[in-house]
Amino acid sequence: MLTLENISRRVDSQDYLVDISLEFQRGELNILLGPTLSGKTSLMRVMAGLDRPDSGRILFDGESVLGEPVQQRDLAMVYQQFINYPSLTVYENIASPLRVAGLAEAAIKSRVAQAADLLKLTAYLDRKPGNLSGGQQQRVALARALVKRASLVLLDEPLANLDYKLREELRAELPTLFAELGAVLVYATTEPSEALVLGGKTACLSEGRVEQFGPTLTLYRDPNTLMTAKLFSDPPLNTAAVKGMNELQRFIGSSDTGTLAVRAHHLRLASEIPTASTFEIRGRVDVIEITGSETFVHLQFMGQPWVAQLDGMHTFRPGAEIALEFELDDCLLFDDNGVRVRKPSGGRI
Amino acid sequence: MKMQHNKAWFMVLPMLLVVAVSAIIPLMTVVNYSVQDSFGNNEFFWVGTEWFQEILASERFHNALQRTLLFSGLILVIEIPLGISIALAMPRRGIAVSFCLVLMALPLLIPWNVVGTIWQVFGRVDIGLLGRGLSSLGIDYNYTQDVFDAWVTLIVMDVWHWTSLVVLLCYSGLVSIPEVYYQAARIDGASRWSVFRFIQLPKIKRVLLIAVLLRFMDSFMIYTEPFVVTGGGPGNATTFLSIDLVQMAVGQFDLGPAAAMSLIYFLVILLLSWVFYTVMTSLDNDSNSAGRGR
């Protein structure tokens, strides 16, 4: 178990990490989700021991590891860039951490063979990384991390530089690959969809702070703050000030301030006969994007850019006014501080 | 179609003219001299390959070639490792970077003959700082009389003048290595030597190839500095091919043999550069064909 207690780090009077407290269990997949510069890599560097936090404690299985140099930590890391030793063969690359550890040749051979088999690299063991495709190069880096059997595995956007086919393939394999190790596994990503597919637990990071930490699906369904909801939305979360929307105010109660948030896929074309459980909005179309099975309608609503993700193909003229609706149960409401206002009935997805 | 073909030739024509004027025509003049004998008055007689045979058989040429090869070899052996070491020790960020880069570039900005003059004066036993300093320490040093001293002076001078080039090339290669490589190496627990051997050296291999080629060609063609410092002496001890060639062409006015010698000289440089290039690029590309050595 890896415990971070009140970790803060400032560089050149800029806050990189602010009072971060997290607890990662062994054998579980922990995701750090946040946009670039949100502190994911800074946090990983601190966890790895590459940087020292200005304050706070880091405990591994209850023991402080803060003073320990990187070399002595039981740790493996994979990066966004494909980092391998360019002059060594794939076999030697995978074997390199074992050689440093001083394992016997026979043990090295069997472990490398096993890792190569899992990552489908057996056919390429004699090649050098420069002669492999991007996906295979990253597989070599992953095999190096896997073969080490480290108790802390840090994956820093490992799939970001791969094209989507390879990304999907590796994403499906990743959790199972490392789950058997019983290691603390931390995975950083900028993509909400990647976090959702991977499951596990997610810590939402924004400007060096942890917005919310919990099971990935819970964070998506039931965000505590507007920031978490925004981080967990792709296409971007649709928001509007509640003020002036009388019907909604009635729904919320007495308050006439705060923010309404609706995910793009919860919007649909308004039906002829409105029902009590739905809320209708009218907006002006900016652009439409048709992917084939879905249509993304970009529109202006109350001075805000909104996106609606509609099933099937729809064509609207830019500038046309359209009516959309959403289920009241689906919308999220936040007060002026960005904290969730929960409805008594409880929401669903 | 026919018209377009002709047009294409017009496009190439300017380049052909430039190459012809700058390279082919001067070279052909040399070839012209190398196969003829002349006796003033613009009288020429066809001699075929006689000059080439004479040069290739002459002891004078062999000695000069050996001296030049030895000089280039020593220069590479000293300057390449030294240049890499300095590049590795140079800072990567901060004000110190610009300071070091300017300091490194300074010797490269000094004209060859000035470098020669600086060292010629610097090493003089009567007035030079180095010469006087060494003799006052009791070291018997005189580059105008002692063969070994002359060689040491020329090599130290060339190292001082040109190691910077190797440093700058290697440094440019080193700073282009992403920080994550070093980070990954630290996590792997790699030693300083392993980082150099398995990350830095492979990553600077290409610029290193350029550095080796440039330093080889330049040192193999060195003329001005030894001409100024030692004038090829003592005796013939530092008469490299270039100095020998000038003595033959200008001093003795043997245009035919001199032309033949310059062509041979040119071919030797071309051949050795090709060998260097082939060896070093094949080291780079052996990855595909390498068998499983276990």
Side-chain angles (χ1 to χ4, degrees):
Chain A
M1 188 173 73
L2 180 70
T3 316
L4 306 176
E5 286 180 7
N6 311 100
I7 298 290
S8 293
R9 181 170 153 77
R10 281 171 78 83
V11 179
D12 301 334
S13 73
Q14 230 184 326
D15 282 320
Y16 276 33
L17 301 169
V18 185
D19 195 27
I20 287 182
S21 296
L22 289 168
E23 207 163 83
F24 297 139
Q25 301 291 335
R26 277 175 183 270
E28 234 175 23
L29 178 59
N30 301 284
I31 297 164
L32 301 177
L33 175 69
T36 42
L37 298 178
S38 62
K40 301 187 300 294
T41 303
S42 304
L43 187 57
M44 283 208 161
R45 288 182 62 96
V46 166
M47 283 195 269
L50 290 161
D51 292 329
R52 252 189 108 87
D54 295 331
S55 61
R57 297 205 304 160
I58 303 175
L59 307 171
F60 203 92
D61 290 339
E63 276 175 56
S64 175
V65 290
L66 254 188
E68 260 181 63
V70 188
Q71 293 86 335
Q72 283 166 31
R73 297 199 185 191
D74 191 10
L75 157 81
M77 193 160 176
V78 177
Y79 308 84
Q80 180 179 344
Q81 298 95 326
F82 313 134
I83 305 295
N84 294 302
Y85 295 107
S87 62
L88 297 180
T89 59
V90 170
Y91 181 97
E92 282 303 327
N93 258 289
I94 303 175
S96 62
L98 304 177
R99 292 210 191 282
V100 172
L103 255 70
E105 195 60 40
I108 292 179
K109 206 169 175 177
S110 78
R111 276 218 219 170
V112 172
Q114 195 191 350
D117 187 43
L118 276 171
L119 284 152
K120 300 176 188 144
L121 287 168
T122 312
Y124 311 108
L125 283 175
D126 300 328
R127 296 227 204 150
K128 289 196 178 166
N131 299 318
L132 297 175
S133 72
Q136 288 162 342
Q137 287 182 38
Q138 194 63 321
R139 281 171 183 277
V140 175
L142 284 165
R144 267 218 334 274
L146 188 68
V147 86
K148 207 174 168 186
R149 298 190 186 161
S151 49
L152 175 60
V153 179
L154 303 171
L155 307 175
D156 192 0
E157 300 187 50
L159 309 181
N161 283 6
L162 296 174
D163 69 62
Y164 90 102
K165 262 283 169 228
L166 288 166
R167 189 155 48 195
E168 281 179 4
E169 201 181 295
L170 262 179
R171 185 156 58 203
E173 295 171 29
L174 264 180
T176 47
L177 274 178
F178 286 97
E180 289 166 20
L181 288 178
V184 173
L185 183 58
V186 185
Y187 186 109
T189 179
T190 55
E191 290 174 44
S193 57
E194 191 161 277
L196 284 169
V197 172
L198 286 168
K201 281 171 118 179
T202 295
C204 271
L205 288 177
S206 163
E207 292 171 356
R209 285 162 221 270
V210 174
E211 278 293 325
Q212 197 176 342
F213 179 53
T216 308
L217 272 179
T218 310
L219 254 65
Y220 178 72
R221 280 171 196 251
D222 201 12
N224 280 337
T225 63
L226 181 57
M227 188 53 85
T228 304
K230 275 185 176 168
L231 289 176
F232 239 125
S233 288
D234 184 33
L237 191 69
N238 300 314
T239 58
V242 172
K243 194 172 177 150
M245 284 194 273
N246 294 333
E247 270 178 80
L248 258 182
Q249 279 170 26
R250 220 176 302 132
F251 173 75
I252 307 161
S254 57
S255 162
D256 71 341
T257 59
T259 307
L260 159 77
V262 185
R263 292 195 200 276
H265 70 272
H266 284 141
L267 288 168
R268 58 172 185 247
L269 290 174
S271 46
E272 304 271 312
I273 311 137
T275 59
S277 66
T278 61
F279 186 78
E280 190 179 299
I281 63 151
R282 286 178 174 276
R284 205 164 285 283
V285 176
D286 282 336
V287 190
I288 56 168
E289 298 169 312
I290 300 175
T291 64
S293 57
E294 284 164 340
T295 304
F296 291 89
V297 184
H298 295 260
L299 64 151
Q300 291 289 328
F301 172 66
M302 290 181 66
Q304 299 285 331
W306 275 41
V307 191
Q309 184 179 350
L310 307 176
D311 280 341
M313 295 214 273
H314 303 269
T315 47
F316 303 106
R317 262 183 312 106
E321 198 185 66
I322 58 166
L324 299 167
E325 65 175 16
F326 58 87
E327 295 284 333
L328 282 170
D329 278 351
D330 289 337
C331 75
L332 303 164
L333 294 160
F334 300 93
D335 68 16
D336 284 344
N337 298 322
V339 178
R340 178 87 176 277
V341 178
R342 289 182 191 278
K343 292 162 283 181
S345 57
R348 56 185 170 88
I349 294 182
Chain B
M1 280 305 278
K2 192 82 183 155
M3 279 302 289
Q4 277 172 346
H5 262 99
N6 293 338
K7 242 183 209 167
W9 278 111
F10 274 114
M11 304 286 206
V12 185
L13 200 60
M15 201 58 228
L16 277 178
L17 278 173
V18 169
V19 173
V21 171
S22 68
I24 299 174
I25 294 174
L27 191 67
M28 288 322 287
T29 345
V30 177
V31 173
N32 195 28
Y33 278 120
S34 73
V35 291
Q36 302 188 72
D37 197 359
S38 61
F39 302 95
N41 310 340
N42 251 353
E43 286 177 67
F44 288 93
F45 301 93
W46 174 262
V47 293
T49 59
E50 201 179 300
W51 297 136
F52 288 94
Q53 286 164 6
E54 190 183 305
I55 292 290
L56 285 173
S58 83
E59 203 175 326
R60 179 178 161 183
F61 176 76
H62 288 168
N63 289 339
L65 179 63
Q66 275 166 19
R67 275 181 224 121
T68 315
L69 282 173
L70 178 65
F71 182 74
S72 282
L74 287 170
I75 290 300
L76 288 183
V77 165
I78 296 170
E79 286 184 13
I80 298 296
L82 185 64
I84 296 174
S85 320
I86 296 176
L88 285 171
M90 266 171 60
R92 296 290 154 76
R93 52 176 73 87
I95 309 172
V97 173
S98 345
F99 179 75
C100 284
L101 287 178
V102 171
L103 195 70
M104 279 295 139
L106 271 180
L108 299 175
L109 300 176
I110 304 174
W112 290 263
N113 56 342
V114 176
V115 173
T117 312
I118 290 173
W119 282 82
Q120 203 259 345
V121 176
F122 189 45
R124 275 175 67 163
V125 194
D126 49 351
I127 54 165
L129 187 64
L130 178 72
R132 283 293 288 272
L134 285 174
S135 48
S136 67
L137 285 173
I139 298 165
D140 187 19
Y141 167 83
N142 189 341
Y143 66 80
T144 55
Q145 280 160 26
D146 188 273
V147 174
F148 182 76
D149 290 353
W151 271 78
V152 168
T153 309
L154 288 183
I155 284 173
V156 169
M157 175 183 67
D158 197 88
V159 168
W160 176 82
H161 194 188
W162 288 112
T163 305
S164 299
L165 182 77
V166 183
V167 173
L168 292 179
L169 282 168
C170 289
Y171 185 73
S172 72
L174 285 173
V175 290
S176 70
I177 302 174
E179 173 64 28
V180 264
Y181 273 93
Y182 298 113
Q183 199 177 316
R186 271 175 78 190
I187 289 173
D188 279 0
S191 63
R192 185 73 199 79
W193 166 249
S194 303
V195 170
F196 174 70
R197 168 73 186 78
F198 297 115
I199 296 174
Q200 290 170 324
L201 195 58
K203 287 274 173 188
I204 63 168
K205 202 149 75 179
R206 277 156 212 273
V207 281
L208 204 58
L209 168 67
I210 295 170
V212 168
L213 276 179
L214 281 178
R215 281 319 300 134
F216 165 71
M217 288 191 295
D218 274 355
S219 62
F220 202 77
M221 296 187 284
I222 192 167
Y223 173 75
T224 317
E225 295 103 314
F227 177 75
V228 174
V229 178
T230 64
N236 276 331
T238 56
T239 304
F240 301 122
L241 277 177
S242 56
I243 295 178
D244 199 21
L245 178 62
V246 173
Q247 277 173 3
M248 191 185 286
V250 183
Q252 299 156 228
F253 213 67
D254 286 337
L255 290 185
M261 184 175 158
S262 29
L263 285 176
I264 294 169
Y265 194 3
F266 169 64
L267 290 175
V268 168
I269 292 177
L270 204 64
L271 178 76
L272 286 173
S273 298
W274 177 78
V275 169
F276 271 115
Y277 183 80
T278 315
V279 169
M280 292 191 71
T281 44
S282 73
L283 285 178
D284 200 28
N285 295 330
D286 62 352
S287 37
N288 273 325
S289 48
R292 285 196 75 177
R294 71 195 79 251

